[in-house]
Amino acid sequence: MRLKWSKLVLVGMLMVIAGVCNSFAGEVEVLHWWTSGGEAKSVAVLKELLEKEGHTWQDMAVAGGAGGNAMTVLKSRAVAGNPPTAAQVKGPQIQQWGDEGVLANLDEVAQAGNWDQLLPKVVADVMKYEGNYVAVPVNVHKINWMWANPEVFRKAGAKVPTTWAEFEEAAKKIKAAGFIPVAWGGQNWQEATVFESIVLGVGGAEFYKKALVDADPAALDSATMVKCLDTLRMVLQYIDKDAPGRDWNLATSMVIQGKAAMQFMGDWAKGEFVAAGKTYGADYVALPVPETSEGYLFNVDSFIMFQVKDKGAQEAQKAMARLIMEPTFQEVFNVNKGSIPCRLGMSHKPFDFPAICSFDSFVATAQTGGLLPSMAHEMAVFPAVRGAIFDVVTNFCNSNLASDKAAKRLASEVQSAM
Ligand code: BGC
C-alpha cells in the first residue's frame, strides 16, 4: 500500500515537471538560405531535433545561393523592428549585428557546452562579439574544390587536371567531344568563388591574404593579379551560353547528369551528389581547384539569435544553440551537407573521402599558413569591400574588360569602399 502511494506521488511529480518544461517550450523562427536538395535535407535534421524537445520551428527559408537574398530580407525585417529569432549570418557581419546591440548573449550555453575547448580558435573568435558568444557555428566548408564526372573525362580522353595548363588541355578535348567543360553559374557570388580559388592557386597563400583579406591596393593592382585574371579569362572560354543567372545546384546537376565535366564550387556541391544517390569514385570525384592543393579557403556557417522577451522563445533559442554544437547534429548535418564538423574531436568514421581530405588539410594548412578565410563567402572582408570585388569580377566575367584594367579597377573600387 505504502509503495503504491509513493508511486502515485512520483507520477504526480513527473507530471508537474513535464508541465513546467512544457510551459518553457517555445518557437524559433529561423531565417536561412538552405533550399537546394542537399541543403534542405541537412537543415531538416535541426528542425527534427528541436521539435523532439517540444519546441516549434518556424521556417523562414529565402532561396538564393550564398545568402544574398536572405541578408536583404533580414535587414528589412530588422529595420521594421521584427527580426526573426534566429538567422544564418556569417563572418564579419556578426560584428556588425553586434554593433547594433540586438543580439542575444549565448555565453551560458557556450560555457555549459565547453565551446571554448571544443572549437578551433579561428572559428570561436568569429562567433564572439566583445568577448561574448553571440553566434553558434555549424560547420566548416572548404571552397577550393573541383567536382568532376570521371565518365565525361573518360569519353573525351582527358585527364582530370591539377594545374591550369592541364585544365586547358583537358577542356579542349572535352569541348571537342561535345561536352561542356565547366558547369558555370553566372551569378556574382559564384564567379567570385571561382575567382578567389584562382587567386589562391596562381598567386599563392601570401598573395591571397594581401589581396583578398587585407584588401591591399598594391596587391589588387599587381602583375600577379593580372595573371590571375588572365587565368579566369581562359576558364571562361569553356563555359556554355546558358550560364548567365544559373543557380549553383543546377550547375552541379549538369555534372551529375554528365552534360558537363566539372564544376568549381565549395563542398556543399557534394551534398547534391549525395542527395542524388551518387557514389564517390564511380559517379564523381573531387580534387582541389588546380594549383590549390596547399591551401584551404574556409567558410563557416553560423546562426545569430536576436534578443527576445518571451521565455519560451528564449528557451527555444538556447536549445537550438546547444543542439547545433552537440555531436549528433554535427555528424548527421555535416555528412549530408558536404562540410566537416566545426566541433573538434569528432570521429571521422561516418565521413566520406572528400570530407576526410578536408579534415586533414584543415589541420595541415593551419600549420603552414595555407588556411585562409573565404572572401566570396563573407569570412574575410566587410560587406562593402566584398561588394566592390564582386562588382569588378562579375563585370570582368560578363564583358571583354582587359585584365590589367580590371586589376586597376579592383584596387580603386575597393579603396573607395573601405
Ligand atoms: C554557405 C553554404 C551554402 C552555399 C550555397 C554558402 O555561402 O556557406 O552553407 O550551401 O552558400 O548557398
Side-chain angles (χ1 to χ4, degrees):
M1 188 62 196
R2 221 185 224 169
L3 197 68
K4 272 188 189 158
W5 172 241
S6 59
K7 257 190 186 168
L8 271 178
V9 172
L10 188 66
V11 170
M13 276 168 64
L14 285 176
M15 282 170 73
V16 171
I17 292 169
V20 169
C21 292
N22 234 6
S23 72
F24 283 162
E27 178 186 290
V28 264
E29 190 193 4
V30 187
L31 186 142
H32 64 92
W33 66 87
W34 288 328
T35 55
S36 79
E39 290 174 331
K41 192 172 151 203
S42 310
V43 73
V45 174
L46 187 54
K47 178 174 185 266
E48 222 170 84
L49 288 170
L50 204 65
E51 286 178 348
K52 259 196 200 149
E53 296 198 356
H55 300 291
T56 315
W57 174 285
Q58 179 69 36
D59 201 49
M60 176 77 197
V62 182
N69 300 343
M71 290 308 97
T72 308
V73 171
L74 178 61
K75 274 175 209 139
S76 62
R77 292 261 322 246
V79 167
N82 174 34
T85 31
Q88 191 188 346
V89 167
K90 312 194 286 189
Q93 277 201 65
I94 296 171
Q95 302 306 311
Q96 291 185 322
W97 286 104
D99 287 342
E100 298 294 319
V102 289
L103 298 185
N105 184 318
L106 302 174
D107 279 346
E108 192 192 312
V109 187
Q111 265 156 26
N114 250 341
W115 292 7
D116 271 340
Q117 277 72 48
L118 289 172
L119 290 173
K121 193 174 175 320
V122 69
V123 176
D125 287 349
V126 181
M127 303 302 137
K128 292 180 183 176
Y129 178 74
E130 293 181 345
N132 304 310
Y133 277 101
V134 292
V136 52
V138 173
N139 59 359
V140 181
H141 271 304
K142 177 175 165 179
I143 301 298
N144 48 309
W145 278 116
M146 176 179 69
W147 305 93
N149 183 319
E151 184 64 9
V152 176
F153 274 89
R154 202 188 50 76
K155 283 184 183 153
K159 174 179 164 288
V160 181
T162 59
T163 65
W164 287 114
E166 284 177 11
F167 165 85
E168 202 169 4
E169 208 184 307
K172 277 186 187 139
K173 288 185 184 162
I174 294 161
K175 201 171 175 179
F179 298 99
I180 300 163
V182 180
W184 189 266
Q187 295 175 346
N188 62 3
W189 71 270
Q190 294 189 65
E191 291 158 344
T193 299
V194 183
F195 166 72
E196 70 176 12
S197 293
I198 292 176
V199 170
L200 174 68
V202 174
E206 227 168 276
F207 177 76
Y208 176 95
K209 185 175 174 295
K210 276 193 199 132
L212 301 184
V213 182
D214 304 340
D216 174 1
L220 290 167
D221 181 12
S222 64
T224 308
M225 183 55 81
V226 172
K227 211 169 145 206
C228 297
L229 289 161
D230 284 345
T231 306
L232 177 57
R233 180 65 75 215
M234 180 275 291
V235 173
L236 288 165
Q237 287 175 38
Y238 299 103
I239 68 173
D240 68 318
K241 63 170 183 20
D242 297 327
R246 179 185 284 136
D247 288 330
W248 69 269
N249 52 322
L250 299 182
T252 312
S253 72
M254 290 165 66
V255 180
I256 293 177
Q257 289 163 17
K259 290 183 184 152
M262 58 196 132
Q263 181 187 21
F264 304 111
M265 189 49 61
D267 42 20
W268 49 91
K270 195 184 73 190
E272 299 305 293
F273 288 97
V274 172
K278 298 294 170 189
T279 307
Y280 186 81
D283 302 319
Y284 68 104
V285 293
L287 261 78
V289 169
E291 301 176 15
T292 68
S293 61
E294 312 274 289
Y296 189 122
L297 297 182
F298 71 87
N299 165 30
V300 176
D301 284 306
S302 48
F303 283 95
I304 55 173
M305 312 272 166
F306 287 86
Q307 288 160 12
V308 283
K309 290 213 176 75
D310 180 67
K311 184 80 186 140
Q314 284 175 5
E315 290 305 313
Q317 285 179 322
K318 282 186 204 159
M320 180 172 159
R322 174 178 47 78
L323 286 166
I324 286 175
M325 274 291 289
E326 279 179 1
T328 309
F329 172 79
Q330 288 283 318
E331 180 184 311
V332 185
F333 175 89
N334 286 303
V335 163
N336 290 335
K337 186 74 166 63
S339 37
I340 57 170
C342 56
R343 180 186 168 116
L344 296 169
M346 295 279 300
S347 160
H348 295 189
K349 255 204 176 143
F351 292 90
D352 60 9
F353 181 71
I356 304 283
C357 294
S358 183
F359 275 116
D360 292 346
S361 79
F362 186 80
V363 174
T365 55
Q367 275 151 16
T368 59
L371 182 65
L372 292 155
S374 160
M375 177 281 299
H377 294 275
E378 301 185 77
M379 295 287 113
V381 290
F382 281 107
V385 172
R386 176 175 174 262
I389 299 174
F390 274 27
D391 285 352
V392 179
V393 171
T394 203
N395 188 259
F396 179 81
C397 291
N398 294 286
S399 72
N400 293 323
L401 186 64
S403 300
D404 57 343
K405 287 209 176 99
K408 280 206 165 37
R409 229 182 254 181
L410 268 177
S412 69
E413 302 216 354
V414 162
Q415 262 179 312
S416 23
M418 296 220 323

